[in-house]
Amino acid sequence: MDVNDRPDGPVTVAALYRFARVEDCAGVRAELERVCRANGVRGTLLIAREGVNGTIAGSAEGIAAVLGAIRAMPDCADVDVKFSSAEAMPFHRTKVRVKREIVTMGQPDIDPRASVGTYVDPLDWNALIADPDTIVIDTRNDYEVAAGTFARAIDPGTASFRDFPAWFRAERERLLGQGKPPKVAMFCTGGIRCEKSTAFLKQEGVDDVYHLKGGILKYLETVPQDESLWRGECFVFDQRVTVGHGLAPGTHSLCFCCRRPVDAAGRSSPLYEEGVSCAACHGERSDEQRASARERHRQERLAESRGRAHVGAVL
């Protein structure tokens, strides 16, 4: 999808990744940060020796400039990009960082450029996951799964993607059994985690592995709601919190203390206080920590009422 064919909206959002060899991470970081700031683009880009990953937002022209800089990098002309729109800027800051991995799995020998599962187009995904001989695994974290997932999907209950290898190794016999191995279909938000998770399963000796091309976001954009096997909403890592079919804004809020999505029922909990805590994290914080969060939230609201930028916003 070309940036000129993006969904209508005042702010263009681009979720992107590319596994490619990056020799000069510091130099790439400096150049991408320069282009982002020069074009008013906010969000996060991660650079590692294995590639680039991130979600950014800005004007169509600004996003095009950043994507142009990424596509100019070696082996990045075909960077995977998924576009959506937002009514307001969904990020407070511009962050371009160098990391050890662009998506942290903690398996240094995994190389998605060498071997990954079979890509499945969103329009063919329903038939695959409806097949009783297919095991469907949600590779995302537990709080993401809580907001929505596919019918029949197994939830590993992981708090971090780094936990996925240990979970699979512990559950392998139960999942795959002793007879003919089933097909394994995996999915994630935009596709990047499945690049690594399918490469990991292939390295573990599982051959019949598939993953959703473009991830949940591409599925929700492509598959009509009346044909969809998706249940709930999809958590996204920006101020939209969740999106639904057609990538329409979802109904969840974000707990700014623990960064977990909070649905309508969660907001009605006596343990929920906007900007302070939710039912999931209330017991994880002290009275002093909640008091500090409460004061920060008060200062943010005060700044907004005076028309000032968010106290943490740095472009």
Side-chain angles (χ1 to χ4, degrees):
M1 179 178 180
D2 187 87
V3 71
N4 294 321
D5 298 325
R6 70 196 184 283
D8 291 335
V11 179
T12 297
V13 182
L16 62 98
Y17 73 88
R18 176 70 175 177
F19 284 98
R21 189 68 176 175
V22 178
E23 298 294 343
D24 181 12
C25 292
V28 169
R29 188 210 68 78
E31 173 61 10
L32 292 184
E33 182 173 38
R34 182 192 69 78
V35 177
C36 284
R37 294 188 184 281
N39 289 277
V41 171
R42 298 184 184 182
T44 298
L45 290 172
L46 303 180
I47 312 298
R49 291 185 65 83
E50 66 179 8
V52 58
N53 172 36
T55 303
I56 53 177
S59 68
E61 295 76 16
I63 295 297
V66 177
L67 292 178
I70 292 172
R71 289 179 174 130
M73 295 164 53
D75 196 29
C76 287
D78 295 327
V79 60
D80 185 284
V81 187
K82 283 167 287 296
F83 294 99
S84 58
S85 62
E87 291 302 314
M89 171 57 74
F91 298 109
H92 293 311
R93 302 178 180 88
T94 301
K95 295 183 288 186
V96 185
R97 296 176 174 172
V98 174
K99 296 284 190 177
R100 300 185 71 170
E101 299 176 75
I102 57 174
V103 58
T104 303
M105 193 183 203
Q107 299 291 314
D109 295 332
I110 297 297
D111 184 2
R113 296 171 299 167
S115 177
V116 295
T118 301
Y119 295 98
V120 180
D121 188 272
L123 294 176
D124 299 323
W125 183 249
N126 284 359
L128 174 65
I129 67 172
D131 183 344
D133 293 326
T134 299
I135 289 175
V136 187
I137 301 176
D138 193 331
T139 66
R140 301 171 304 150
N141 300 329
D142 49 8
Y143 63 89
E144 299 172 76
V145 179
T149 191
F150 280 106
R152 297 188 59 241
I154 295 169
D155 174 11
T158 50
S160 165
F161 188 51
R162 186 185 287 273
D163 300 332
F164 183 83
W167 172 83
F168 178 78
R169 287 168 175 155
E171 298 293 325
R172 176 175 180 152
E173 184 173 346
R174 181 182 67 83
L175 292 170
L176 303 184
Q178 300 296 325
K180 178 184 177 181
K183 291 176 284 189
V184 179
M186 296 192 286
F187 63 92
C188 59
T189 307
I192 186 171
R193 279 178 279 190
C194 287
E195 298 274 2
K196 280 200 169 180
S197 61
T198 59
F200 169 74
L201 260 66
K202 299 278 280 189
Q203 184 170 289
E204 293 286 299
V206 182
D207 295 322
D208 214 2
V209 184
Y210 303 82
H211 57 126
L212 177 58
K213 187 175 182 179
I216 301 163
L217 295 179
K218 193 64 178 178
Y219 181 93
L220 293 176
E221 180 185 2
T222 305
V223 177
Q225 186 168 357
D226 59 359
E227 299 175 13
S228 176
L229 295 180
W230 177 260
R231 304 291 181 262
E233 297 173 355
C234 178
F235 180 82
V236 290
F237 295 89
D238 59 55
Q239 297 302 313
R240 294 174 298 172
V241 187
T242 58
V243 296
H245 286 89
L247 303 183
T251 61
H252 287 69
S253 301
L254 188 69
C255 175
F256 289 96
C257 282
C258 68
R259 315 304 294 177
R260 296 181 179 106
V262 184
D263 61 13
R267 292 192 293 273
S268 68
S269 167
L271 299 180
Y272 175 75
E273 183 179 350
E274 183 180 0
V276 178
S277 68
C278 66
C281 72
H282 186 273
E284 300 171 355
R285 286 166 168 75
S286 66
D287 290 342
E288 291 77 11
Q289 288 173 316
R290 285 194 293 273
S292 176
R294 189 175 294 114
E295 176 59 21
R296 175 179 172 82
H297 185 64
R298 188 186 72 81
Q299 293 291 339
E300 290 171 353
R301 298 290 81 80
L302 182 61
E304 289 179 2
S305 70
R306 293 174 176 174
R308 297 176 181 172
H310 185 280
V311 292
V314 178
L315 184 59

